[in-house]
């Protein structure tokens, strides 16, 4: 896990190499077309189609990871260093530290330029690649708020949830190496997350096709998001106590329509001391997100960077704690 996280931070996802999520996306798109063709306007058929899509994609992803794990365990005996590095490189594809940091820092660096207002459309275009909200009319303050919110939410979805499921897979291996290991569990999570991002929209046919995938993703992020809530305050210095920070974040984050993203945003908001929430537009529809950390200032370049730094610190803490737990199990 440590080597995989390090490789992700240093190398990320090379553009000239295929990424597992791309393969998942191709399968999801194909099955979505079949489900829409067969289900037509029948809500029950569309729901069953979505259930089948979720089962097939998650199963294929888990089995693919499991097969690669078998190959790793076999070749590890012959060439432990090379096989471990190769396995860790594949495992690192489940993490998104470098890609998330790079995307957000590109936006922040663009805003730092003196003539950035002449290039707001380009900045909005970059932002549109990492957020789901409408960006066409966002001013600088709203772009920074969107950056802060996506940095906090995607840290959980793209970094801490995969790390958690890698850890669970590693625990499985400690008991029986024929069970799904860290790669299989990480790819199962990535499959559910990809289904949710592609199909989890509450509109039209996708309301029914994407229902099961969205619920599975919520379920798989539920525990990691709450562990982030409890552990992130130990990585920052705030004017309030750790318990107060956790309590405030829980109270303000739990009212969000999402069972996980609200909590994620709230704890990062309090730890980075930046206000989040407000009015967003999604495909022209106005959505009012609850305000969290009202007493703190609105998002700035520095506060967004603090979120990225906090995320990196927490990764290190998690890996250290996970390693200690595994060492304890081996005693």
């Amino acid at each position: 896990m440590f080597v995989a996280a390090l490789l992700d931070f240093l190398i990320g996802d090379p553009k000239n190499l295929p990424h597992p999520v791309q393969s998942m996306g191709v399968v999801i798109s194909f099955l979505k077309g079949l489900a829409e063709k067969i289900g037509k306007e029948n809500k029950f058929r569309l729901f069953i189609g979505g259930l089948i899509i979720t089962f097939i994609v998650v199963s294929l992803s888990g089995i693919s990871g499991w097969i690669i794990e078998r190959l790793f365990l076999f070749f590890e005996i012959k060439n432990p260093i090379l096989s471990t590095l190769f396995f860790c490189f594949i495992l690192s594809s489940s993490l998104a530290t470098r890609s998330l940091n790079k995307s957000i820092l590109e936006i922040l660096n663009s805003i730092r330029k003196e003539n950035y207002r002449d290039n707001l459309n380009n900045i909005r275009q970059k932002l549109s690649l990492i957020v789901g909200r409408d960006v066409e009319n966002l001013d600088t303050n709203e772009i920074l708020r969107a950056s802060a919110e996506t940095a906090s939410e995607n840290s959980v979805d793209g970094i801490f949830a995969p790390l958690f499921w890698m850890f669970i897979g590693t625990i499985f291996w400690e008991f029986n190496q024929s069970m799904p290991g860290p790669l299989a569990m990480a790819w199962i999570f990535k499959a559910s997350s990809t289904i949710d991002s592609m199909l989890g929209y509450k509109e039209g046919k996708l309301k029914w096709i994407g229902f099961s995938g969205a619920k599975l993703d919520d379920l798989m992020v539920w525990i990691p998001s709450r562990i982030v809530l409890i552990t992130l305050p130990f990585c920052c210095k705030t004017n309030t106590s750790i318990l107060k920070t956790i309590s405030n974040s829980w109270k303000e984050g739990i009212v969000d329509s999402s069972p996980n993203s609200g909590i994620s945003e709230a704890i990062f908001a309090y730890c980075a001391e930046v206000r989040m929430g407000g009015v967003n537009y999604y495909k022209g529809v106005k959505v009012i997100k609850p305000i969290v950390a009202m007493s703190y200032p609105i998002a700035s370049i520095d506060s967004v960077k603090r979120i990225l730094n906090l995320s990196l610190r927490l990764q290190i803490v998690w890996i250290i704690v996970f390693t200690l737990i595994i060492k304890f199990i081996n005693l």
Side-chain angles (χ1 to χ4, degrees):
M1 288 173 62
F2 170 76
V3 176
L6 184 62
L7 287 173
D8 173 59
F9 181 77
L10 295 176
I11 302 173
D13 302 317
K15 293 183 178 180
N16 57 338
L17 292 178
H19 195 279
V21 170
Q22 293 175 328
S23 301
M24 295 174 191
V26 171
V27 176
I28 293 168
S29 295
F30 173 74
L31 294 176
K32 170 179 171 287
L34 283 180
E36 289 179 329
K37 185 177 181 180
I38 297 172
K40 297 182 180 179
E41 300 299 327
N42 187 296
K43 295 178 181 179
F44 179 73
R45 288 181 181 177
L46 292 171
F47 170 76
I48 295 299
L51 195 63
I52 293 172
I53 290 173
T54 301
F55 176 78
I56 291 175
V57 176
V58 170
S59 298
L60 285 177
S61 300
I63 291 171
S64 298
W66 184 84
I67 291 173
I68 293 174
E69 289 169 350
R70 301 309 100 201
L71 294 173
F72 160 66
L73 292 172
F74 175 76
F75 286 106
E76 185 187 27
I77 300 172
K78 298 182 177 181
N79 196 326
I81 296 177
L82 185 61
S83 59
T84 298
L85 285 174
F86 182 71
F87 181 72
C88 290
F89 177 72
I90 297 176
L91 190 61
S92 71
S93 67
S94 302
L95 301 171
T97 303
R98 185 176 179 84
S99 59
L100 178 61
N101 284 14
K102 182 180 178 182
S103 299
I104 292 177
L105 288 175
E106 282 182 358
I107 294 171
L108 300 184
N109 291 334
S110 296
I111 293 175
R112 280 188 182 277
K113 296 178 181 178
E114 291 184 6
N115 62 337
Y116 81 91
R117 294 186 184 277
D118 297 331
N119 297 312
L120 267 182
N121 285 334
N122 291 332
I123 297 174
R124 291 170 183 145
Q125 182 61 34
K126 291 178 181 178
L127 181 65
S128 69
L129 300 176
I130 57 174
V131 300
R133 72 192 70 182
D134 299 343
V135 301
E136 294 81 6
N137 300 312
L138 298 185
D139 60 17
T140 306
N141 289 336
E142 287 299 302
I143 289 173
L144 287 169
R145 176 170 75 87
S147 299
E149 291 173 357
T150 197
S152 58
E153 182 180 349
N154 287 345
S155 287
V156 177
D157 292 339
I159 301 170
F160 296 107
L163 272 178
F164 172 80
W165 289 108
M166 285 180 198
F167 170 66
I168 296 299
T170 306
I171 295 294
F172 288 164
W173 263 12
E174 291 299 321
F175 292 101
N176 189 338
Q177 288 196 331
S178 65
M179 295 179 68
L183 183 62
M185 294 306 299
W187 278 9
I188 286 172
F189 167 74
K190 294 302 290 185
S192 71
S193 178
T194 305
I195 294 170
D196 181 44
S197 64
M198 293 182 65
L199 306 181
Y201 294 93
K202 298 178 181 179
E203 58 182 29
K205 294 180 180 179
L206 293 182
K207 181 178 181 180
W208 309 102
I209 294 177
F211 180 83
S212 57
K215 292 303 178 184
L216 177 61
D217 183 64
D218 285 343
L219 184 63
M220 296 196 76
V221 180
W222 197 90
I223 295 176
S225 65
R226 281 146 182 81
I227 298 178
V228 170
L229 171 73
I230 296 170
T231 55
L232 187 62
F234 290 93
C235 300
C236 67
K237 294 181 180 180
T238 60
N239 295 325
T240 58
S241 67
I242 289 176
L243 288 177
K244 187 67 174 177
T245 300
I246 295 173
S247 176
N248 289 339
S249 300
W250 173 262
K251 290 177 183 177
E252 297 182 17
I254 198 65
V255 300
D256 192 279
S257 58
S258 168
N260 302 314
S261 63
I263 293 174
S264 304
E265 289 182 8
I267 191 60
F268 272 100
Y270 271 98
C271 289
E273 298 184 338
V274 53
R275 187 190 313 164
M276 295 189 195
V279 177
N280 296 335
Y281 286 88
Y282 298 89
K283 296 183 179 180
V285 178
K286 182 178 180 180
V287 177
I288 301 176
K289 301 277 286 185
I291 301 293
V292 296
M294 174 68 81
S295 60
Y296 290 118
I298 61 175
S300 65
I301 291 176
D302 289 339
S303 61
V304 176
K305 283 188 173 182
R306 280 200 299 273
I307 292 174
L308 298 179
N309 290 333
L310 282 171
S311 178
L312 183 58
R313 288 184 214 167
L314 189 60
Q315 279 186 73
I316 296 171
V317 170
W318 274 36
I319 291 172
I320 291 172
V321 173
F322 288 163
T323 301
L324 292 175
I325 293 173
I326 293 168
K327 291 291 185 183
F328 177 78
I329 292 174
N330 284 327
L331 292 178

